Amino acid sequence: KCSRKVGRDEMASSANNPMIVGIDVGTSKVVALVGQVTADGELDIVGVGMKPSRGMKKGVVVNLEQTIQSIQGAVAEAELMADCRIHSAFISIAGSHIGGRNSQAVVAIRDGEVQRGDVDRVIDAAKSGPIPTDQRILHILPQEFQVDDQGDVRDPLGMSGVRLEGHVHLVTCSTNAMQNLEKCVRGCGIEIDEIVLDQLACSYAVLTEDEREHGVCLVDIGGGTTDVAIFSKGAIRHTAVIPIAGDQVTNDIAMALHTPTQDADEIKIKYACAVAQQVNPDDSINVPGMGDRAARRMSRQTLAAVVEPRYDELFSLVMSEIERAGYTGKLAAGIVLTGGSAKIEDASALAESIFHMPVRIGMPQSLKVGGMGEVLRNPIYSTGVGLLMYGRTKNPNRNSMPESTRKLNLGMDGIVQKFKDWMHQNF
């Protein structure tokens, strides 16, 4: 939620075209996006802000003050570009403290026909299993229902029967981790519309309905963790978090090439390749030295030989999760890789050799996102764009308040130019 300074003539347009804000608080970066839902249902992204994430480790807050500063910096950039004041937002959450399990329950249908109360009761019953005292339920994600002997029912409302069975996927998280994240967001003067599981938000931006239906594994490779979600028959069937991601690759490069971590990260982004055999042996890179040591030239193949084993390990762990979930050979749509660390050259080729199924790099879908959608077709924005798309489905009341004389609808040329200027300053 955010407010713009608009004239009286724009107040009605503001109410009809609500603003949605998503803040992806990651281990390596914080991304803030402002989106506007247009009259035809499109989502125009009118504000973008991104800052390095300080104070986060493996998806959880380890320094409140530094995390607040990172969020404030990203939010300030998004506000400046969108010419608005952000009041509330959808927030992503990740980390190894996230847990997921499937659950089911059965209730009697009270009036011979499934009513909303019956659905609510069976979902409440499904979530009533034991949960550790230091955990709380983050999401209850319905999978399917069964009315008497009729299974695979997506929406049981109105169906006749005497027995309703519900299947759900429960996502839990650490109470303390969530509270610390909430403190950081509210410490920036921003209220929380909802805290959303990273891979759930991401799925809204990068997966198609066909992929969800026929079976797909979403792998979001971030800085601190790799978040996994398996979809089938339109619903989440399995979630997992793997504590290996981009930061581990950066550390490997820093150790192997004897270069500072910041330089190692830049080398990874610009020159890393996940398949050493694909690198021209004549290619070389400049590697800065530690301290006052001089920089030196090094074979790019040497870099790839450091990167490939870590990605091989990561994809093998993802394969183990697919096997543990019982979906080996059942993912017709294959694997979708996304997140900033999925951009490594030949990551999809290495993944295909391990998974033995189709692999693609998932980016925010241009068909679903208008405005700067094409400019934001980059996996680093998948979670942020997904938060906006998730927020649009919630349809909260986000009527903008009048605060100035500037028109609500900036010309898209002006918005895109602002974004290009921002990209030039940050990259």
Side-chain angles (χ1 to χ4, degrees), residues 193-375:
D193 291 320
E194 187 175 340
I195 293 182
V196 186
L197 178 69
D198 177 275
Q199 51 266 56
L200 176 62
C202 193
S203 71
Y204 277 79
V206 304
L207 297 184
T208 66
E209 290 302 319
D210 283 344
E211 287 173 331
R212 293 169 181 266
E213 190 66 30
H214 293 103
V216 67
C217 180
L218 174 64
V219 182
D220 183 4
I221 312 174
T225 61
T226 295
D227 304 311
V228 179
I230 295 175
F231 291 78
S232 181
K233 296 181 180 179
I236 285 185
R237 305 292 167 169
H238 181 78
T239 53
V241 178
I242 297 172
I244 296 177
D247 286 353
Q248 282 72 30
V249 179
T250 298
N251 291 336
D252 288 348
I253 295 171
M255 293 292 292
L257 304 189
H258 305 289
T259 191
T261 301
Q262 183 175 349
D263 294 311
D265 194 54
E266 293 178 2
I267 290 171
K268 178 188 72 175
I269 294 170
K270 293 180 180 179
Y271 304 112
C273 178
V275 182
Q277 290 183 341
Q278 297 298 322
V279 178
N280 187 334
D282 295 329
D283 289 348
S284 63
I285 59 175
N286 189 60
V287 179
M290 288 279 195
D292 57 359
R293 295 178 177 85
R296 63 201 185 284
R297 302 296 295 179
M298 186 171 290
S299 169
R300 187 167 172 243
Q301 239 180 15
T302 302
L303 172 64
V306 174
V307 172
E308 182 174 352
R310 184 64 82 174
Y311 273 83
D312 189 298
E313 178 189 15
L314 172 59
F315 293 146
S316 296
L317 290 173
V318 173
M319 190 67 209
S320 296
E321 284 296 333
I322 294 173
E323 294 169 353
R324 188 164 72 88
Y327 277 86
T328 304
K330 298 179 181 179
L331 301 177
I335 309 292
V336 175
L337 304 179
T338 193
S341 296
K343 296 169 58 180
I344 297 296
E345 183 180 336
D346 282 331
S348 58
L350 177 63
E352 285 189 348
S353 71
I354 294 173
F355 294 118
H356 303 293
M357 64 181 84
V359 177
R360 73 174 179 89
I361 303 299
M363 295 180 284
Q365 299 293 314
S366 60
L367 294 178
K368 295 181 179 178
V369 181
M372 291 184 292
E374 286 300 322
V375 184

Side-chain angles (χ1 to χ4, degrees), residues 7-9 26 48 64 66 86 158 201 208 228-229 326 334 351 403 406 417:
R8 183 172 299 176
D9 292 341
V48 182
L64 289 171
Q66 289 182 343
I86 292 174
T208 66
V228 179
E403 291 181 357
R406 178 155 185 165
Q417 185 58 51

Side-chain angles (χ1 to χ4, degrees), residues 89-128:
F90 289 86
I91 311 297
S92 67
I93 189 169
S96 298
H97 62 94
I98 301 287
R101 63 180 174 88
N102 295 325
S103 181
Q104 63 188 69
V106 178
V107 299
I109 299 173
R110 286 178 174 171
D111 298 320
E113 184 177 284
V114 179
Q115 305 292 330
R116 173 57 61 187
D118 298 313
V119 176
D120 292 340
R121 283 190 299 114
V122 78
I123 290 177
D124 284 339
K127 72 177 183 181
S128 62

Side-chain angles (χ1 to χ4, degrees), residues 19-26 29-36 43-50 74 78 88-94 194 196-206 218 220 222 227 338-340 362-365 368-369 372-373 376-392 398:
M19 306 293 287
I20 304 172
V21 180
I23 304 177
D24 174 19
V25 186
K29 68 186 183 314
V30 176
V31 174
L33 299 179
V34 179
Q36 180 179 2
L43 184 62
D44 283 340
I45 298 178
V46 297
V48 182
M50 184 168 68
S88 67
F90 289 86
I91 311 297
S92 67
I93 189 169
E194 187 175 340
V196 186
L197 178 69
D198 177 275
Q199 51 266 56
L200 176 62
C202 193
S203 71
Y204 277 79
V206 304
L218 174 64
D220 183 4
D227 304 311
T338 193
M363 295 180 284
Q365 299 293 314
K368 295 181 179 178
V369 181
M372 291 184 292
L376 295 176
R377 280 183 58 80
N378 186 320
I380 67 174
Y381 296 113
S382 295
T383 299
V385 173
L387 286 169
L388 299 184
M389 298 176 72
Y390 177 89
R392 182 177 58 177
R398 287 185 173 76

